[in-house]
Amino acid sequence: MPNFDKVAIIGVGLLGGSIGKALQERELAKEVIGIGRYKGKLSHAQSIGTVTEATTDLAEGVAGANVVVVCTPVETVADQVAQVLEHVGPDCLVTDVGSTKEAIIRDICEKCGPRASQFVGSHPLAGDHNTGPDFSRADLFEKRMVVITPSDQNELEPTVKIAEFWHALGARTILLQADEHDAALAVTSHLPHALATALALTTPQELLGLAATGWADTTRVAAADSTLWRQIFLANREQVLAALDHFNVQLTALRTAIATDDGDKLEELLFEGKKIRDALGN
Amino acid sequence: MPNFDKVAIIGVGLLGGSIGKALQERELAKEVIGIGRYKGKLSHAQSIGTVTEATTDLAEGVAGANVVVVCTPVETVADQVAQVLEHVGPDCLVTDVGSTKEAIIRDICEKCGPRASQFVGSHPLAGDHNTGPDFSRADLFEKRMVVITPSDQNELEPTVKIAEFWHALGARTILLQADEHDAALAVTSHLPHALATALALTTPQELLGLAATGWADTTRVAAADSTLWRQIFLANREQVLAALDHFNVQLTALRTAIATDDGDKLEELLFEGKKIRDALGN
């Protein structure tokens, strides 16, 4: 079990706050320092127990850290990592929690040269449409999957250490190439978000009284933060567009079966979809 | 509060079973008789307390009933209602729980002539992807909306009595024309189901390990019974096709914003969608 003198978390929201709480509850770190831009928000995050210390000074915050976790929106991750690497020692490892990986890793390699080897990308498949430290919990990562996306710059050792970091928080991990990650998540996460949003946009407010569980479930992720998701869609543009194209093929097949009154084909498609959904469980 | 000597339920699944349990728990009926095709299934439904009596003989089952609720799949509702009306007295009211209404009411009016006035259509917005009497519960309708769709044949009194029936089970009701109901539900229920199915079909099984809450929520209704949903889509074909067209306009707008890297437009759409979703609550 890893044991750290100091872990720094940049961006103490739902994910950053949950990492902080988990590190403390599991007694994995002596000091958990939260770093952010706004003193008021940081004080609040500290007061509810997400971190042991807090600062708006990045250089001071990451100095002497064993691990730095960048939990800012995807558009800012690469810049944050570049700054962090200027202020930490050669043994410090840096990771992130961004929902897209290829653009982030490419930017970090460009900005940081050989020091990019200290960064190993992570994406915990946890959290939901609620954001902010008030929703953080120490068990957020328990039994959840974290995708780790080492780059060509990464040696085996830092990759294993970042995996161990997540295991220590209760998560499972899987290693994927960044582009494989982005293609997969375009289907399993970004596409559902686009559909949920488009379905909500299709629904006049006056019909909400007639929305039952099905509408509520299918649109739930549309309640997530619009600014964060704008960045995710644009950072993974090509893969999201490909996923939308694949989706349109399937929706068109359903539509055609309905339009042509082809009940057998329609039931076959519904049943195939049900089998895939059933394979996931609840 | 209505009080019935005998209520007959045709089709004792999730909805029929829940109506039976609610009638008993609220002491609204002396006798609740379940009617179905299969003795074994009926005995099981009776043994878990959904009904007080059970029979496979429709004529015997509905004889002397004050209210008959037809809870069979939408394709068979009109035939069942026509049969029921041959065996009940002129004061007996008949309703259903079908997810589509216009085709059912049109068929009943054609089949039954003036006796169609004893039928008032209902659609409780309750239940979920689980089916069968084992999931039935007495509180399924509490605070849920039931749409009541009187036809031109219906006088006010039977319409009010059917509304009172649902109120007695704890539900709220709203009156809509059948075609208004079908257009609304095409958006709030049938469209979500089509999207959930198409999303599941877009997702290769080997990616399910990378599916988090968003995918699980967005696809949940795809686990529902394929045969029931085949019937719902085909019974409401025109309205479903119109809903799919409206959806495609919205999804195309999202796609275009992503493809053209128009972040402001993308965020505007995401935010509009979020506002509609937030208006529903959880």
Side-chain angles (χ1 to χ4, degrees):
Chain A
M1 192 69 93
N3 208 299
F4 307 106
D5 283 328
K6 179 176 178 181
V7 175
I9 297 168
I10 304 182
V12 190
L14 171 67
L15 292 170
S18 295
I19 293 168
K21 282 183 177 173
L23 286 167
Q24 293 175 73
E25 189 174 290
R26 291 165 174 256
E27 299 181 354
L28 297 166
K30 284 180 198 146
E31 189 183 353
V32 179
I33 187 156
I35 302 167
R37 282 181 298 173
Y38 305 109
K39 242 186 182 135
K41 286 191 182 179
L42 270 177
S43 299
H44 173 67
Q46 185 179 359
S47 74
I48 58 173
T50 58
V51 290
T52 61
E53 311 287 331
T55 178
T56 56
D57 184 334
L58 185 136
E60 180 194 310
V62 302
N66 309 109
V67 176
V68 179
V69 189
V70 177
C71 302
T72 61
V74 292
E75 239 174 47
T76 59
V77 170
D79 278 339
Q80 295 286 332
V81 171
Q83 282 185 57
V84 168
L85 289 174
E86 286 173 18
H87 299 284
V88 295
D91 291 334
C92 174
L93 288 179
V94 185
T95 190
D96 73 330
V97 298
S99 298
T100 64
K101 296 265 75 87
E102 199 173 13
I104 288 174
I105 289 171
R106 188 189 54 229
D107 289 353
I108 291 171
C109 289
E110 277 174 24
K111 284 175 204 284
C112 307
R115 293 209 67 179
S117 62
Q118 287 177 252
F119 173 82
V120 182
S122 303
H123 178 204
L125 306 183
D128 55 23
H129 55 284
N130 291 316
T131 50
D134 291 324
F135 293 99
S136 66
R137 10 181 264 265
D139 66 354
L140 188 71
F141 304 104
E142 276 177 27
K143 300 198 176 69
R144 305 307 286 268
M145 183 67 83
V146 177
V147 186
I148 297 176
T149 57
S151 72
D152 297 342
Q153 308 251 359
N154 290 131
E155 305 282 343
L156 185 60
E157 199 194 330
T159 305
V160 170
K161 281 194 171 162
I162 289 299
E164 284 171 353
F165 175 83
W166 290 110
H167 296 159
L169 301 188
R172 298 172 295 146
T173 57
I174 182 175
L175 293 190
L176 283 181
Q177 299 283 343
D179 59 344
E180 289 175 343
H181 166 276
D182 287 2
L185 272 288
V187 175
T188 62
S189 171
H190 312 162
L191 178 59
H193 199 96
L195 303 180
T197 297
L199 173 56
L201 290 170
T202 306
T203 309
Q205 290 244 10
E206 63 267 24
L207 292 189
L208 288 183
L210 300 173
T213 326
W215 193 92
D217 282 343
T218 311
T219 55
R220 186 161 292 114
V221 289
D225 186 278
S226 311
T227 311
L228 292 182
W229 275 91
R230 162 194 181 152
Q231 295 182 20
I232 291 168
F233 281 122
L234 295 183
N236 199 24
R237 192 170 54 198
E238 295 306 322
Q239 305 280 19
V240 169
L241 293 175
L244 281 167
D245 289 343
H246 291 139
F247 172 81
N248 274 328
V249 172
Q250 300 298 339
L251 190 63
T252 301
L254 263 183
R255 190 191 201 289
T256 303
I258 295 168
T260 59
D261 210 11
D262 188 345
D264 289 343
K265 180 66 187 174
L266 177 57
E267 186 165 346
E268 184 192 318
L269 292 169
L270 292 167
F271 189 67
E272 285 302 312
K274 174 176 168 55
K275 277 201 295 188
I276 295 167
R277 183 58 183 82
D278 286 345
L280 184 76
N282 276 320
Chain B
M1 192 68 94
N3 207 300
F4 308 106
D5 285 327
K6 180 176 177 180
V7 176
I9 296 167
I10 305 182
V12 190
L14 171 68
L15 292 170
S18 295
I19 293 168
K21 283 184 177 172
L23 286 167
Q24 293 175 73
E25 190 175 287
R26 290 164 175 257
E27 297 180 356
L28 298 165
K30 286 179 195 143
E31 190 184 351
V32 180
I33 187 157
I35 302 167
R37 282 181 298 174
Y38 305 108
K39 246 191 178 126
K41 285 192 181 177
L42 270 176
S43 300
H44 173 67
Q46 186 179 359
S47 74
I48 58 174
T50 59
V51 291
T52 62
E53 310 289 332
T55 177
T56 56
D57 184 334
L58 184 137
E60 181 194 311
V62 302
N66 308 110
V67 176
V68 179
V69 190
V70 177
C71 302
T72 60
V74 292
E75 240 174 47
T76 60
V77 170
D79 279 340
Q80 296 285 334
V81 171
Q83 281 186 57
V84 168
L85 289 173
E86 286 173 20
H87 298 286
V88 294
D91 293 334
C92 175
L93 289 179
V94 185
T95 191
D96 73 329
V97 297
S99 298
T100 66
K101 296 264 75 84
E102 200 173 14
I104 287 174
I105 290 172
R106 188 188 56 229
D107 288 353
I108 290 171
C109 289
E110 278 175 21
K111 283 175 204 285
C112 307
R115 296 208 65 180
S117 63
Q118 288 177 253
F119 173 82
V120 182
S122 303
H123 177 204
L125 306 183
D128 55 23
H129 56 283
N130 291 315
T131 51
D134 291 324
F135 292 99
S136 66
R137 9 181 264 265
D139 66 354
L140 188 71
F141 305 105
E142 276 177 26
K143 300 197 175 72
R144 304 308 286 267
M145 184 66 83
V146 177
V147 186
I148 297 177
T149 58
S151 73
D152 298 340
Q153 308 251 358
N154 290 131
E155 304 283 344
L156 185 60
E157 198 194 331
T159 305
V160 170
K161 282 194 170 160
I162 289 299
E164 285 172 352
F165 175 83
W166 289 111
H167 296 159
L169 302 188
R172 298 172 295 147
T173 58
I174 182 175
L175 293 189
L176 284 180
Q177 299 283 343
D179 59 345
E180 289 174 344
H181 166 276
D182 287 2
L185 271 289
V187 175
T188 61
S189 171
H190 312 162
L191 178 58
H193 199 97
L195 303 180
T197 297
L199 174 56
L201 290 170
T202 306
T203 311
Q205 289 246 9
E206 63 266 27
L207 292 190
L208 288 182
L210 299 175
T213 326
W215 192 92
D217 282 343
T218 311
T219 55
R220 186 162 291 114
V221 289
D225 186 278
S226 311
T227 311
L228 293 181
W229 275 90
R230 162 195 181 152
Q231 296 183 19
I232 292 168
F233 281 122
L234 295 183
N236 199 23
R237 192 171 54 199
E238 295 306 323
Q239 306 280 20
V240 169
L241 294 175
L244 281 167
D245 290 343
H246 290 140
F247 172 81
N248 274 328
V249 172
Q250 300 297 339
L251 191 63
T252 301
L254 263 183
R255 189 191 201 289
T256 303
I258 295 168
T260 59
D261 210 9
D262 187 346
D264 289 342
K265 179 68 185 171
L266 176 58
E267 186 165 347
E268 183 192 318
L269 292 168
L270 292 167
F271 189 67
E272 284 303 311
K274 173 176 168 57
K275 277 200 295 189
I276 296 167
R277 183 57 184 82
D278 286 345
L280 184 78
N282 275 321

